[in-house]
Each structure stands twice: as C-alpha cells, then as structure tokens.
Amino acid sequence: MSTTAPPGNRLHGRFASELPELAVPWAAVEVAAPQLLVLNEGLAAELGLDPDYLRSPQGVRFLVGNEVPEGTTPVAQAYSGHQFGQHVPRLGDGRALLLGELLDAGGRPRDLHLKGSGPTPFSRGGDGLAAVGPMLREYVISEALHALGVPTTRSLAVVATGRAVRRETPLPGAVLARVASSHLRVGTFQYARSTGDTEVLRRLADHAVARHHPLAAGAENRYLALFEAVLSAQASLVAQWMLVGFVHGVMNTDNTTISGETIDYGPCAFLDAFDPATVFSSIDVQGRYAYGNQPVIAQWNLARFGEALIPLVHDDPEQAVALLTDALNGFPAQYSAAWTAGMRRKLGLGEHVDDDVATSVIGQVTSALVDGHVDHTAFFRRLTAAARGDDGPVRALLGDSTDWVERWQALEPAADVMAGVNPVYIPRNHLVEEALDAATAGDLGPFTALLDVLAQPYTERPGLERYEEAAPAGGAPFITYCGT
Ligand code: AMP
Ligand code: MG
C-alpha cells in the first residue's frame, strides 16, 4: 500500500454544508514538532485509512490538523448546553475541530475530529489545548468501553505536540484524533433552538434523522419519532454504563449525543467498590453525576432535548409539550427493561426464570453489593466461577450477605452467558493512573500493555493477574480532575 495516500478525496463536509449556521470554518494551530504516541491500526483499517500514511510525517501532520487535504475545510461546531444544571448559551468546540466525515468500510459516515487543536471562536478564554495525560486517558477508556461492547466515540491517535500546556503545572501537550458516528449533541439542538430560526432547527433535525434514526423519517410525526429514538438510545446506553460500573462524571447536555454513543471523556472512571453515591470528579461536589444518579440525569437531559424540539413537534406549543412529556415519561420503563435484561445476563438467569423471581434475586444481589461495599467487577467475575460450582471466592468477597447465593444457584445460572458479559479486565483506576504517569514521563510501555489487555475484556489470560486485582487497600479514594 502507498505510504503517502492522503485521505483527502474521501473526506467530505456534510455537516458544514448542510448546517453552515452551526459550523465556523477554522484552522488548527501549527504544531512544530508533532510526535505520534499511539495509533489505532484496527480503527484506521475500519475507516479505510492507510496506517503507513498516518505514521508518515505527512500523516502525523494530518492527525494534528496541519495537513489539510485539498477541498476539506475543518470547522468548529457550535452548541450550547446545561453544565451542572446551569444553561450556558454558547459553548461549542473551544479546543476541537471537525476535519470532516468519511464513509467507513461498512459504508457508514464517521466524523474525524480533533481535540486539543488550538483556540477557536468558542474558546471563552481557554487556551484551546490539551495535555498528553487526559488525551491518552480518553483513548484508553473509550477503547475499553468499545471492547466491552458499549457504544462510544473511538480514538484513532494521540500525537504529542512538543509544546507545554499550562495547567496547575506545565504539562506536555497533545492532540487526540477522535472518531464518532457524529458529534450531534443535545446541546447542538439547544443552540439551534436559541437562534430563533425554526428552519435551522428543522434542518438539524432532518440531518440527525437521516444520519442516526432513519426509521423516524417514515413516522407520522418524524420529530416526535426522533425524540423517541434518541430517548431509547440513551436509555440503552446508560443501562450499559450501569451494568459495567462506568461513571461518566460530566453528563452535561453538551455531552449527551443524539447517536447514543458515549462522548467526552473527562473525569470518568469505573467503580471499584460498589456504591451508588460514587463520584470521582473533583468538581462534582453535590454528587449530581454520581453513579446511581446517571439514569435520572439522562432523563433530565432528554427533557432539555424535548424543549428544544417543541417548535417542530406541533404548531401548538401546548400540544407539543404534551406529546413530548408523554414520550419522556416512558424513559424509566425503557431504562429499567434494558438494565433488568442486562442484570439477568450478568446473573445467568435464562428465560426459564420468571420475572418475579429474577427481580427478587436482582434486588438481593444489589443489596449485597451495597452492604458489602464489594468490588463490582470482581464480584460478577467470581459469581461466574460460582455458576461453575466454585462459590468459595464470591462468598469470601461478600462477608455476611450470602443468604441469596443458594437460592440463585438453584436457578441453574448459565455460566457461559455470564462469562460473556462480566468482564475480567476493566480500566481500573490505579492501572490507568500508573500508565498515564509513565506516559507523561515518556514511557509508553505500561500504556500500550494496558491497551492490549483491555482489548479483550472477557477473555481471562494467564500472566495478567495484576490487571484483575482491585486497587491496593488503604489508598486514598480515587479522584479525577477536570484539569483537562
Ligand atoms: P468538556 O468539559 O470537555 O465537555 O468541555 C466543555 C466546554 O469547554 C466545551 O465547549 C469545550 O470546548 C470547552 N473547553 C474545555 N477545555 C478547553 C480549553 N482548554 N480551551 C478552550 N475551551 C475548552
Ligand atoms: Mg463536552
């Protein structure tokens, strides 16, 4: 394969051409000495991009936005959002650019997007830059979620800029190249609504229907159908987060996608010990985005989405609100159904187990997790072993809360089903920190080793025992900082 095949002729700018009101043409800041730190070859292949090209000097310049293929115009996207419940009318890509969209090997459009590519008209006093640690963090956690089977944006590459970024201390700078099925957010709709121009809003909604929820196009009320489709996608997404113990950490409406993909990895982390009140973010002092609050917050964000859609749903705003509210009220049942189905698989409860019995066992397991403050991932993995007859390890983890174990075993749980949904390896906080510290100091070894482990989360492999283990006891509680 050619080493200098630029992707230029394949990148198009559909978002920018259909929605110029929401796209500001902009250029990335020049990077004098870019150095490729990590490249996702599998994803490059999926996108039909030549890894040899991406590793070449020209390709690395492409990955930081300095080599712009002829005919493409990077844009900063406009959006607003509710951040921690407060409405911010103008957010937008303050340190990111959409290079364009390309069709992947399966014929699906994918956004190619840069994070840390310099200031834009949306920077609001920020420097537009990003540091190596947080960009590698997004890379490893997004790829881990993908391997777990949870919808998410993907990470194509991280390139060090060679320039220091000023945070509390100077940090090495980096640009992340990210891939998403789109970057349409609830906040994008809030922004379009705030323009007061219903035609812009309609064009955005039509773009979203065509791109993500084509079935809505045939509905009697296509914009209500769009709302319902996004609601279903978000209910399913958040259920999957809950089932793997993922805490997003900053579920603002600008970080809530229309596609139903996880986006914008900041202060996110996986649960160690099970506790619904778990918050990792240093700035989330009220616990708004705690693990156990995530479903309620998703519904709150969807309410903001519904408000933005009012003028499209019905000419009479009161009727529009009634229709949207009715749909919104369906969220808890949809979330619950997705979560319960997932818990059934985690516990190996097949169809022969009645709903009442399953619900009661799920309740007992959840209480045992809370009471025992048990490591979430280790618990379900040991339970898989218990389904195969070895219940010593899970009992050892549970302390006194074991009265349900025999009742569960009597239901003949399917160990193979459990093994396919209860991961052995997740990006444990202490391992991620260790890998990022080493990478920031110049050693990428632990980072690439961790990526390899997390690429097959459900396959137990000898020699990887330390990646399974919970954080050493007695350490300080894990905290992530928004200093991104
Ligand atoms: P996030 O918390 O990453 O979802 O970002 C929230 C908003 O802050 C978005 O509009 C970002 O573009 C903006 N932002 C975050 N960091 C920076 C930065 N260093 N410079 C400029 N804008 C930023
Ligand atoms: Mg964001």
Side-chain angles (χ1 to χ4, degrees), residues 79 83 91-96 115 119 122-130 167 185 250 252 254-255 264 482 484:
Y79 51 85
Q83 298 193 307
L91 288 166
D93 288 336
R95 56 160 171 176
K115 196 160 165 182
F122 299 107
S123 293
R124 297 175 299 143
D127 61 9
L129 303 175
R167 296 293 181 260
R185 309 150 188 268
V250 58
N252 294 330
D254 53 302
N255 294 338
D264 278 4
C482 248
T484 53

XYZ file of all heavy atoms in Angstrom, residues 79 83 91-96 115 119 122-130 167 185 250 252 254-255 264 482 484, ligand 1:
235
model
N -22.493 24.781 19.779
C -23.529 24.163 20.603
C -23.662 24.941 21.897
O -22.795 25.739 22.247
C -23.260 22.677 20.870
C -21.884 22.307 21.392
C -21.583 22.358 22.753
C -20.883 21.862 20.520
C -20.321 21.985 23.228
C -19.626 21.484 20.994
C -19.352 21.550 22.345
O -18.118 21.193 22.809
N -24.634 22.948 31.916
C -23.487 22.393 32.631
C -23.822 22.390 34.112
O -24.092 23.437 34.691
C -22.241 23.246 32.375
C -21.857 23.267 30.890
C -20.472 23.841 30.661
O -20.171 24.952 31.115
N -19.620 23.098 29.989
N -21.424 27.408 24.017
C -20.224 26.601 24.322
C -19.508 26.381 22.991
O -18.806 27.233 22.530
C -20.627 25.268 24.961
C -21.134 25.343 26.398
C -21.814 24.042 26.809
C -19.979 25.624 27.334
N -19.721 25.268 22.356
C -19.083 25.000 21.062
C -17.697 24.419 21.237
O -17.189 24.273 22.343
N -17.103 24.064 20.092
C -15.765 23.454 20.095
C -14.726 24.508 20.457
O -14.226 25.230 19.590
C -15.440 22.884 18.710
C -16.226 21.626 18.392
O -16.664 20.943 19.343
O -16.377 21.326 17.190
N -14.378 24.573 21.723
C -13.399 25.561 22.183
C -11.966 25.081 22.022
O -11.022 25.859 22.145
N -11.818 23.801 21.776
C -10.464 23.282 21.556
C -10.523 22.057 20.656
O -9.737 21.119 20.802
C -9.815 22.914 22.886
C -10.638 21.921 23.680
C -9.757 21.275 24.673
N -10.533 20.474 25.587
C -9.991 19.742 26.515
N -8.687 19.729 26.640
N -10.731 19.039 27.309
N -11.471 22.078 19.755
C -11.668 20.914 18.896
C -12.066 21.380 17.510
O -12.506 22.518 17.319
C -12.759 20.034 19.492
N -9.126 16.960 19.033
C -9.305 17.607 20.344
C -7.934 18.099 20.799
O -6.975 17.327 20.786
C -9.849 16.555 21.322
C -10.437 17.102 22.591
C -11.344 16.050 23.213
C -11.694 16.360 24.650
N -12.526 15.327 25.246
N -6.999 27.252 19.926
C -8.175 28.078 20.234
C -9.060 28.309 19.015
O -8.598 28.284 17.877
C -7.583 29.401 20.728
C -6.136 29.361 20.432
C -5.734 27.955 20.147
N -14.876 29.728 19.963
C -15.672 29.243 21.104
C -14.818 29.013 22.358
O -15.278 28.377 23.304
C -16.369 27.923 20.726
C -17.309 28.043 19.567
C -16.984 27.507 18.329
C -18.526 28.704 19.704
C -17.852 27.612 17.245
C -19.408 28.822 18.626
C -19.065 28.277 17.400
N -13.586 29.492 22.361
C -12.676 29.105 23.465
C -12.984 29.786 24.801
O -12.521 29.317 25.840
C -11.226 29.363 23.066
O -10.845 28.502 22.026
N -13.704 30.880 24.789
C -14.118 31.551 26.027
C -12.962 31.715 27.015
O -13.069 31.395 28.191
C -15.237 30.749 26.718
C -16.514 30.644 25.902
C -17.530 29.753 26.578
N -17.037 28.404 26.729
C -17.261 27.617 27.761
N -17.989 28.047 28.761
N -16.748 26.403 27.817
N -11.820 32.150 26.542
C -10.698 32.396 27.460
C -9.825 31.184 27.692
O -8.743 31.294 28.278
N -10.256 30.012 27.248
C -9.416 28.812 27.379
C -8.313 28.828 26.331
O -8.365 29.609 25.375
N -7.310 27.985 26.518
C -6.164 28.007 25.607
C -6.353 27.134 24.363
O -5.515 27.126 23.467
C -4.875 27.609 26.347
C -4.957 26.207 26.924
O -5.927 25.473 26.629
O -4.037 25.829 27.685
N -7.453 26.373 24.337
C -7.714 25.533 23.160
C -6.857 24.281 23.090
O -6.889 23.563 22.091
N -6.091 24.032 24.145
C -5.111 22.943 24.083
C -5.482 21.790 25.008
O -6.410 21.885 25.809
C -3.728 23.496 24.452
C -3.251 24.664 23.576
C -1.929 25.220 24.090
C -3.152 24.244 22.106
N -4.749 20.710 24.872
C -4.967 19.531 25.708
C -3.609 18.939 26.068
O -2.618 19.166 25.368
C -5.808 18.507 24.947
N -1.204 24.180 32.949
C -2.289 23.824 33.862
C -1.794 24.225 35.255
O -1.099 25.229 35.348
C -2.611 22.325 33.750
C -3.154 21.937 32.353
C -4.542 22.556 32.085
N -5.094 22.194 30.787
C -5.066 22.968 29.691
N -4.497 24.162 29.741
N -5.610 22.580 28.565
N -25.135 16.729 19.484
C -25.384 16.634 20.928
C -26.756 17.224 21.228
O -27.283 18.003 20.416
C -24.332 17.463 21.691
C -22.908 17.156 21.305
C -22.020 18.403 21.465
N -20.673 18.177 20.921
C -19.639 17.743 21.613
N -19.747 17.550 22.906
N -18.473 17.548 21.042
N -19.481 13.743 33.860
C -19.863 15.106 33.486
C -20.949 15.041 32.407
O -20.769 15.396 31.259
C -18.630 15.975 33.128
C -17.809 15.395 32.004
C -19.006 17.408 32.825
N -23.281 16.641 31.191
C -23.944 17.871 30.773
C -24.667 17.618 29.448
O -24.345 16.656 28.742
C -22.904 18.984 30.610
C -22.263 19.352 31.938
O -22.901 19.238 32.988
N -21.010 19.778 31.907
N -24.394 19.038 26.726
C -23.480 19.098 25.571
C -22.649 17.824 25.469
O -21.960 17.610 24.479
C -22.568 20.331 25.659
C -21.845 20.429 26.983
O -22.518 20.476 28.031
O -20.601 20.429 26.983
N -22.718 16.976 26.478
C -22.002 15.700 26.425
C -22.978 14.535 26.266
O -22.647 13.395 26.613
C -21.152 15.512 27.687
C -20.034 16.536 27.773
O -19.626 17.099 26.764
N -19.538 16.788 28.977
N -17.017 12.519 25.180
C -16.345 13.497 26.042
C -15.924 12.905 27.386
O -16.543 13.131 28.430
C -17.206 14.759 26.228
C -17.027 15.700 25.041
O -16.323 15.318 24.094
O -17.590 16.811 25.054
N -10.850 17.837 36.547
C -11.302 18.316 35.243
C -10.200 19.079 34.541
O -10.387 19.585 33.450
C -12.547 19.186 35.383
S -13.976 18.383 34.681
N -8.304 19.411 32.274
C -8.068 18.643 31.052
C -7.355 19.515 30.041
O -7.363 19.309 28.896
C -9.397 18.125 30.493
O -10.288 19.228 30.361
C -10.009 17.097 31.402
P -15.845 19.420 28.141
O -15.861 19.524 29.626
O -14.587 18.832 27.574
O -17.064 18.745 27.626
O -15.849 20.924 27.603
C -16.846 21.853 27.904
C -16.642 23.108 27.079
O -15.424 23.755 27.449
C -16.552 22.880 25.585
O -17.164 23.959 24.957
C -15.065 22.864 25.341
O -14.748 23.180 24.013
C -14.571 23.904 26.310
N -13.167 23.696 26.721
C -12.677 22.724 27.527
N -11.335 22.864 27.676
C -10.972 23.944 26.949
C -9.718 24.605 26.681
N -8.570 24.177 27.220
N -9.736 25.687 25.874
C -10.889 26.137 25.344
N -12.079 25.562 25.532
C -12.134 24.479 26.328
